[in-house]
Structure formats: C-alpha cells, structure tokens
Amino acid sequence: MTVLVVDDFSTTRRIISSLLEELGFSYIHQARNGQEALERLGCGDIDLVVTDWHMPVMDGLELVVNMRTHPETASVPVLMVTAESKREQMTRAAYAGVNGYLVKPFTAEALQSKIQRIVARLGDNHLQPTGS
C-alpha cells in the first residue's frame, strides 16, 4: 500500500510518516499542499491519502473535492487529519468525500484505528500495511 501524506508543516509530515512506518506501511510519499498532492496522485500509484485541512495553495478540502471529480482519483480513500474538531467541519469534510477524520493531536493507535475503519468500510483488501 502506498500512502501520500499531505501537510504544509514538514514536522507534521515526518511525524505522520514515522507513525505509518511503525504501523507497517513502507511506501510513503509526501506533499506540502493539495496542488502537490494532485500532481503526485497523477502518477496513479497512491492507495491512501492522509491530509491536513488548512494549507496554502490548495487546502485539504479542495484537494478532496478535486480528487472526487476525477475518475482516476475518485475512489482513492482520504483520511483528514486536522485540528478542526467542530461538527460542522466534520460534516463538510464528509460531504466533500473524506473517508475518515482524525483530530490532532492523535496517537499511533488512533491513526491505525481510523485507517482500519476506512479499509473495512471500503472492503478493500489491498489497503493493508506491507507487514500485514
């Protein structure tokens, strides 16, 4: 499984990438904003996107909306990882097409649980860490 981590803060990208590695994911790419993420998604080998909401150039919500309107990225699952904890934001994200929502700060266990829920809901067996 190949994961794309999208966040404008390099430290956050590194933390999330490290947590994913601890969970057994070995193919992890990074992008600084939604525009970079779309460019990376154009390669067609991303199985899961983990994105922040607030970023310059293109935010996470715009990224998801854009992904859902293109056939080649419409079915790629997205986990939104953000400090936005209000129900209204969660609802907006769900309507945009986000598959899971995780509020910062979070633990490795919470990240793993959200990814497992996305996988179970989608019934997609290829969305597993390489160590599983």
Side-chain angles (χ1 to χ4, degrees), residues 64-80:
V64 175
V65 168
N66 197 300
M67 287 175 63
R68 298 304 180 234
T69 60
H70 292 89
E72 57 276 358
T73 58
S75 63
V76 176
V78 177
L79 173 60
M80 180 78 70

Side-chain angles (χ1 to χ4, degrees), residues 3-132:
V3 181
L4 177 59
V5 177
V6 188
D7 198 294
D8 55 324
F9 290 108
S10 61
T11 302
T12 304
R13 288 193 311 269
R14 280 194 305 271
I15 291 169
I16 293 173
S17 295
S18 293
L19 290 172
L20 289 167
E21 287 173 2
E22 287 176 24
L23 296 173
F25 296 94
S26 54
Y27 302 106
I28 303 165
H29 300 277
Q30 298 182 7
R32 293 178 294 182
N33 57 56
Q35 185 62 47
E36 280 187 16
L38 284 177
E39 291 168 12
R40 183 65 186 89
L41 284 160
C43 296
D45 63 343
I46 302 297
D47 300 305
L48 172 68
V49 173
V50 178
T51 186
D52 186 25
W53 186 318
H54 297 286
M55 298 176 286
V57 183
M58 179 185 289
D59 69 28
L61 200 61
E62 292 173 285
L63 168 62
V64 175
V65 168
N66 197 300
M67 287 175 63
R68 298 304 180 234
T69 60
H70 292 89
E72 57 276 358
T73 58
S75 63
V76 176
V78 177
L79 173 60
M80 180 78 70
V81 178
T82 180
E84 295 292 342
S85 60
K86 294 181 181 171
R87 185 169 301 280
E88 300 84 45
Q89 279 100 353
M90 292 178 192
T91 301
R92 275 183 68 199
Y95 279 120
V98 169
N99 301 91
Y101 198 93
L102 185 59
V103 177
K104 295 176 187 176
F106 56 88
T107 63
E109 294 78 19
L111 180 63
Q112 181 178 29
S113 174
K114 289 291 183 176
I115 291 171
Q116 287 174 338
R117 281 189 216 150
I118 290 170
V119 170
R121 237 181 294 144
L122 296 175
D124 198 340
N125 293 328
H126 81 278
L127 290 177
Q128 297 294 327
T130 53
S132 293

